[in-house]
Amino acid sequence: MSLTERLNQDMKQAMKDKDKQTLSVIRMVKASIQNEAIKLGSDNLTEDEELSVLTKELKQRKDSLHEFEEAGRDDLVEKLKDELKVLQAYMPKQLTEEELENIVLDTIKEVNASSKQEMGKVMSAIMPKVKGKADGSKVNELVQKHLS
């Protein structure tokens, strides 16, 4: 089942359950997916493109959450945490620290990187492998650790 089909199904269920929070998040994600499809000039997005949209939505909320926590806006922090929970349900299973570290080490060997100057080469080889399954900042941190 594609992400769009799953969103439609969950949206109907949220309407039946009168779950306004979940319904709102699903509608926002669906709108983002539709906007991306229009931007790309196609009717349907590939699974990879849908995942990119979902990742972008998740990242925006995490950034906002950080800003609201610093500003002491507890009311908005709770709302965003709830939205993050809904979005996480649609993301692929996240890699464990150990799995991610193994991928980083394997990729460093693949591209024969030995210094921090080659970090861009390593990152561009890793990111397609872990797309949607790991946070980019965590990957970056591990690559730096192993290249130093």
Side-chain angles (χ1 to χ4, degrees):
M1 176 182 326
S2 77
L3 177 63
T4 306
E5 291 167 346
R6 210 170 129 207
L7 286 169
N8 286 333
Q9 201 173 39
D10 291 350
M11 187 169 79
K12 288 175 190 172
Q13 190 59 48
M15 285 178 186
K16 288 177 185 174
D17 297 343
K18 296 186 180 359
D19 184 352
K20 290 182 181 178
Q21 177 73 27
T22 302
L23 184 59
S24 171
V25 174
I26 290 173
R27 283 182 172 156
M28 281 190 273
V29 172
K30 283 185 54 130
S32 293
I33 288 172
Q34 280 183 315
N35 288 339
E36 187 69 17
I38 291 168
K39 190 172 101 180
L40 296 174
S42 67
D43 291 337
N44 293 319
L45 297 179
T46 66
E47 208 171 298
D48 212 29
E49 291 166 336
E50 287 178 339
L51 185 60
S52 293
V53 171
L54 198 57
T55 303
K56 186 168 53 174
E57 289 290 319
L58 203 59
K59 185 176 180 342
Q60 284 176 346
R61 281 171 180 75
K62 283 181 180 177
D63 292 345
S64 297
L65 181 66
H66 179 69
E67 294 294 321
F68 289 148
E69 284 174 338
E70 283 183 359
R73 294 292 310 265
D74 296 334
D75 55 329
L76 295 174
V77 167
E78 286 308 310
K79 182 177 182 264
L80 274 178
K81 283 182 179 178
D82 292 341
E83 287 183 16
L84 283 169
K85 285 179 192 169
V86 173
L87 286 173
Q88 285 289 355
Y90 297 101
M91 293 296 289
K93 182 181 173 293
Q94 298 294 295
L95 294 169
T96 64
E97 182 94 21
E98 191 178 297
E99 291 170 326
L100 188 56
E101 192 142 6
N102 289 336
I103 291 172
V104 168
L105 290 170
D106 291 345
T107 307
I108 288 173
K109 286 177 190 169
E110 272 177 36
V111 297
N112 293 322
S114 58
S115 67
K116 282 195 176 186
Q117 282 83 18
E118 298 171 293
M119 188 161 169
K121 186 166 60 169
V122 175
M123 288 297 290
S124 62
I126 290 177
M127 290 315 288
K129 295 178 186 177
V130 299
K131 187 173 187 154
K133 297 177 189 167
D135 185 31
S137 60
K138 187 68 186 164
V139 174
N140 189 322
E141 186 182 304
L142 285 171
V143 170
Q144 282 186 6
K145 177 180 145 190
H146 290 291
L147 284 180
S148 53

Short mmCIF file of all heavy atoms in Angstrom, two decimals, residues 111-146:
data_model
loop_
_atom_site.label_atom_id
_atom_site.label_comp_id
_atom_site.label_asym_id
_atom_site.label_seq_id
_atom_site.Cartn_x
_atom_site.Cartn_y
_atom_site.Cartn_z
N VAL A 111 34.39 3.95 -0.67
CA VAL A 111 34.89 5.13 -1.40
C VAL A 111 36.35 5.43 -1.09
O VAL A 111 36.89 6.42 -1.57
CB VAL A 111 34.01 6.38 -1.12
CG1 VAL A 111 32.60 6.18 -1.62
CG2 VAL A 111 34.03 6.77 0.33
N ASN A 112 36.98 4.57 -0.30
CA ASN A 112 38.38 4.73 0.09
C ASN A 112 38.68 6.10 0.69
O ASN A 112 39.66 6.75 0.32
CB ASN A 112 39.31 4.47 -1.11
CG ASN A 112 39.26 3.04 -1.55
OD1 ASN A 112 39.17 2.13 -0.71
ND2 ASN A 112 39.30 2.81 -2.84
N ALA A 113 37.84 6.55 1.58
CA ALA A 113 38.03 7.84 2.23
C ALA A 113 38.92 7.67 3.45
O ALA A 113 38.84 6.67 4.17
CB ALA A 113 36.69 8.42 2.64
N SER A 114 39.79 8.66 3.67
CA SER A 114 40.69 8.56 4.82
C SER A 114 40.79 9.87 5.60
O SER A 114 41.37 9.89 6.68
CB SER A 114 42.08 8.12 4.35
OG SER A 114 42.56 9.05 3.40
N SER A 115 40.26 10.95 5.06
CA SER A 115 40.37 12.23 5.77
C SER A 115 39.05 13.00 5.70
O SER A 115 38.16 12.67 4.92
CB SER A 115 41.48 13.08 5.15
OG SER A 115 41.10 13.47 3.84
N LYS A 116 38.97 14.04 6.52
CA LYS A 116 37.75 14.84 6.56
C LYS A 116 37.50 15.59 5.26
O LYS A 116 36.39 15.99 4.98
CB LYS A 116 37.81 15.84 7.72
CG LYS A 116 37.52 15.20 9.05
CD LYS A 116 37.24 16.22 10.11
CE LYS A 116 36.85 15.52 11.39
NZ LYS A 116 36.44 16.43 12.42
N GLN A 117 38.53 15.77 4.43
CA GLN A 117 38.34 16.44 3.15
C GLN A 117 37.43 15.61 2.23
O GLN A 117 36.82 16.16 1.32
CB GLN A 117 39.69 16.67 2.43
CG GLN A 117 40.49 17.84 2.96
CD GLN A 117 41.31 17.49 4.18
OE1 GLN A 117 41.56 16.31 4.45
NE2 GLN A 117 41.72 18.49 4.95
N GLU A 118 37.35 14.33 2.47
CA GLU A 118 36.53 13.44 1.63
C GLU A 118 35.14 13.19 2.22
O GLU A 118 34.42 12.30 1.78
CB GLU A 118 37.26 12.11 1.44
CG GLU A 118 38.59 12.29 0.71
CD GLU A 118 39.41 11.01 0.72
OE1 GLU A 118 39.85 10.61 1.81
OE2 GLU A 118 39.58 10.44 -0.37
N MET A 119 34.77 14.01 3.19
CA MET A 119 33.50 13.83 3.86
C MET A 119 32.32 13.96 2.89
O MET A 119 31.35 13.20 2.97
CB MET A 119 33.36 14.84 4.98
CG MET A 119 32.16 14.59 5.82
SD MET A 119 32.33 15.39 7.37
CE MET A 119 30.69 15.19 7.96
N GLY A 120 32.39 14.91 1.98
CA GLY A 120 31.31 15.10 1.01
C GLY A 120 31.08 13.87 0.16
O GLY A 120 29.95 13.47 -0.12
N LYS A 121 32.18 13.25 -0.25
CA LYS A 121 32.11 12.04 -1.07
C LYS A 121 31.43 10.91 -0.28
O LYS A 121 30.58 10.20 -0.80
CB LYS A 121 33.53 11.64 -1.48
CG LYS A 121 33.60 10.49 -2.44
CD LYS A 121 34.97 10.32 -3.10
CE LYS A 121 36.08 10.08 -2.13
NZ LYS A 121 37.34 9.67 -2.77
N VAL A 122 31.80 10.78 0.99
CA VAL A 122 31.22 9.74 1.85
C VAL A 122 29.73 10.01 2.10
O VAL A 122 28.90 9.11 1.96
CB VAL A 122 31.98 9.64 3.19
CG1 VAL A 122 31.31 8.65 4.12
CG2 VAL A 122 33.43 9.26 2.97
N MET A 123 29.41 11.26 2.42
CA MET A 123 28.01 11.61 2.71
C MET A 123 27.12 11.38 1.49
O MET A 123 26.00 10.87 1.62
CB MET A 123 27.90 13.07 3.17
CG MET A 123 28.44 13.33 4.56
SD MET A 123 27.57 12.45 5.87
CE MET A 123 26.02 13.32 5.88
N SER A 124 27.61 11.74 0.31
CA SER A 124 26.78 11.56 -0.89
C SER A 124 26.59 10.08 -1.23
O SER A 124 25.61 9.71 -1.86
CB SER A 124 27.38 12.32 -2.09
OG SER A 124 28.65 11.82 -2.40
N ALA A 125 27.51 9.24 -0.79
CA ALA A 125 27.36 7.80 -1.01
C ALA A 125 26.44 7.17 0.05
O ALA A 125 25.70 6.23 -0.25
CB ALA A 125 28.72 7.11 -0.97
N ILE A 126 26.46 7.69 1.26
CA ILE A 126 25.66 7.12 2.35
C ILE A 126 24.19 7.52 2.29
O ILE A 126 23.31 6.68 2.47
CB ILE A 126 26.22 7.54 3.73
CG1 ILE A 126 27.54 6.86 4.00
CG2 ILE A 126 25.24 7.19 4.85
CD1 ILE A 126 28.19 7.28 5.29
N MET A 127 23.91 8.78 2.05
CA MET A 127 22.55 9.29 2.19
C MET A 127 21.50 8.53 1.37
O MET A 127 20.41 8.27 1.89
CB MET A 127 22.49 10.80 1.92
CG MET A 127 23.16 11.63 3.02
SD MET A 127 22.75 11.15 4.72
CE MET A 127 21.08 11.73 4.85
N PRO A 128 21.78 8.13 0.13
CA PRO A 128 20.75 7.35 -0.58
C PRO A 128 20.46 6.00 0.11
O PRO A 128 19.34 5.49 0.05
CB PRO A 128 21.35 7.12 -1.96
CG PRO A 128 22.35 8.21 -2.13
CD PRO A 128 22.87 8.49 -0.76
N LYS A 129 21.46 5.45 0.78
CA LYS A 129 21.28 4.15 1.45
C LYS A 129 20.39 4.25 2.68
O LYS A 129 19.71 3.30 3.03
CB LYS A 129 22.64 3.58 1.89
CG LYS A 129 23.57 3.24 0.76
CD LYS A 129 24.89 2.76 1.32
CE LYS A 129 25.93 2.55 0.23
NZ LYS A 129 27.22 2.15 0.79
N VAL A 130 20.46 5.39 3.38
CA VAL A 130 19.74 5.52 4.65
C VAL A 130 18.56 6.49 4.57
O VAL A 130 17.99 6.84 5.59
CB VAL A 130 20.70 5.98 5.78
CG1 VAL A 130 21.79 4.96 6.00
CG2 VAL A 130 21.28 7.35 5.51
N LYS A 131 18.19 6.89 3.37
CA LYS A 131 17.13 7.88 3.19
C LYS A 131 15.86 7.48 3.94
O LYS A 131 15.31 6.41 3.73
CB LYS A 131 16.83 8.03 1.71
CG LYS A 131 15.87 9.15 1.43
CD LYS A 131 15.73 9.38 -0.04
CE LYS A 131 14.90 10.62 -0.23
NZ LYS A 131 15.18 11.28 -1.46
N GLY A 132 15.44 8.37 4.83
CA GLY A 132 14.22 8.14 5.59
C GLY A 132 14.39 7.19 6.77
O GLY A 132 13.51 7.06 7.59
N LYS A 133 15.55 6.54 6.85
CA LYS A 133 15.76 5.56 7.92
C LYS A 133 16.70 6.08 9.00
O LYS A 133 16.89 5.43 10.02
CB LYS A 133 16.35 4.28 7.34
CG LYS A 133 15.44 3.58 6.36
CD LYS A 133 16.12 2.37 5.79
CE LYS A 133 15.31 1.79 4.64
NZ LYS A 133 16.07 0.81 3.89
N ALA A 134 17.32 7.24 8.74
CA ALA A 134 18.25 7.80 9.72
C ALA A 134 18.29 9.31 9.56
O ALA A 134 18.12 9.84 8.46
CB ALA A 134 19.64 7.22 9.54
N ASP A 135 18.55 9.99 10.65
CA ASP A 135 18.65 11.44 10.65
C ASP A 135 19.99 11.85 10.04
O ASP A 135 21.04 11.31 10.40
CB ASP A 135 18.54 11.94 12.09
CG ASP A 135 18.51 13.45 12.19
OD1 ASP A 135 18.02 14.09 11.24
OD2 ASP A 135 18.99 13.98 13.21
N GLY A 136 19.96 12.80 9.12
CA GLY A 136 21.17 13.25 8.43
C GLY A 136 22.23 13.79 9.37
O GLY A 136 23.43 13.58 9.16
N SER A 137 21.82 14.46 10.44
CA SER A 137 22.79 15.02 11.37
C SER A 137 23.52 13.90 12.13
O SER A 137 24.70 14.00 12.43
CB SER A 137 22.13 15.98 12.35
OG SER A 137 21.13 15.33 13.09
N LYS A 138 22.80 12.82 12.41
CA LYS A 138 23.41 11.67 13.09
C LYS A 138 24.43 11.00 12.17
O LYS A 138 25.51 10.60 12.59
CB LYS A 138 22.32 10.68 13.52
CG LYS A 138 22.82 9.55 14.36
CD LYS A 138 23.28 10.07 15.71
CE LYS A 138 23.92 8.97 16.51
NZ LYS A 138 24.68 9.48 17.63
N VAL A 139 24.07 10.88 10.89
CA VAL A 139 24.98 10.29 9.90
C VAL A 139 26.23 11.15 9.80
O VAL A 139 27.35 10.64 9.84
CB VAL A 139 24.29 10.17 8.51
CG1 VAL A 139 25.28 9.70 7.46
CG2 VAL A 139 23.10 9.22 8.58
N ASN A 140 26.03 12.45 9.71
CA ASN A 140 27.14 13.40 9.62
C ASN A 140 28.08 13.25 10.82
O ASN A 140 29.31 13.19 10.66
CB ASN A 140 26.58 14.82 9.56
CG ASN A 140 27.62 15.85 9.25
OD1 ASN A 140 28.74 15.78 9.71
ND2 ASN A 140 27.24 16.84 8.46
N GLU A 141 27.50 13.15 11.99
CA GLU A 141 28.28 13.00 13.23
C GLU A 141 29.13 11.72 13.19
O GLU A 141 30.31 11.74 13.54
CB GLU A 141 27.27 12.94 14.39
CG GLU A 141 27.87 12.93 15.77
CD GLU A 141 26.75 12.83 16.80
OE1 GLU A 141 25.84 13.69 16.79
OE2 GLU A 141 26.78 11.88 17.61
N LEU A 142 28.54 10.62 12.76
CA LEU A 142 29.27 9.35 12.69
C LEU A 142 30.38 9.38 11.64
O LEU A 142 31.47 8.85 11.88
CB LEU A 142 28.31 8.19 12.40
CG LEU A 142 27.43 7.75 13.57
CD1 LEU A 142 26.38 6.76 13.12
CD2 LEU A 142 28.27 7.15 14.68
N VAL A 143 30.10 10.00 10.49
CA VAL A 143 31.12 10.09 9.45
C VAL A 143 32.30 10.91 9.95
O VAL A 143 33.46 10.51 9.78
CB VAL A 143 30.53 10.71 8.15
CG1 VAL A 143 31.63 11.02 7.16
CG2 VAL A 143 29.52 9.76 7.52
N GLN A 144 32.02 12.03 10.60
CA GLN A 144 33.11 12.86 11.16
C GLN A 144 33.93 12.07 12.17
O GLN A 144 35.17 12.16 12.19
CB GLN A 144 32.54 14.11 11.82
CG GLN A 144 32.14 15.16 10.84
CD GLN A 144 31.70 16.45 11.53
OE1 GLN A 144 31.79 16.59 12.74
NE2 GLN A 144 31.22 17.39 10.74
N LYS A 145 33.23 11.33 13.00
CA LYS A 145 33.92 10.54 14.05
C LYS A 145 34.88 9.52 13.41
O LYS A 145 36.01 9.35 13.89
CB LYS A 145 32.86 9.81 14.89
CG LYS A 145 33.41 8.90 15.95
CD LYS A 145 32.27 8.25 16.70
CE LYS A 145 32.62 6.85 17.09
NZ LYS A 145 31.48 6.09 17.60
N HIS A 146 34.46 8.88 12.34
CA HIS A 146 35.27 7.83 11.74
C HIS A 146 36.32 8.33 10.76
O HIS A 146 37.25 7.59 10.41
CB HIS A 146 34.38 6.76 11.08
CG HIS A 146 33.62 5.94 12.07
ND1 HIS A 146 34.22 5.04 12.91
CD2 HIS A 146 32.30 5.92 12.39
CE1 HIS A 146 33.31 4.48 13.68
NE2 HIS A 146 32.15 5.01 13.39
#
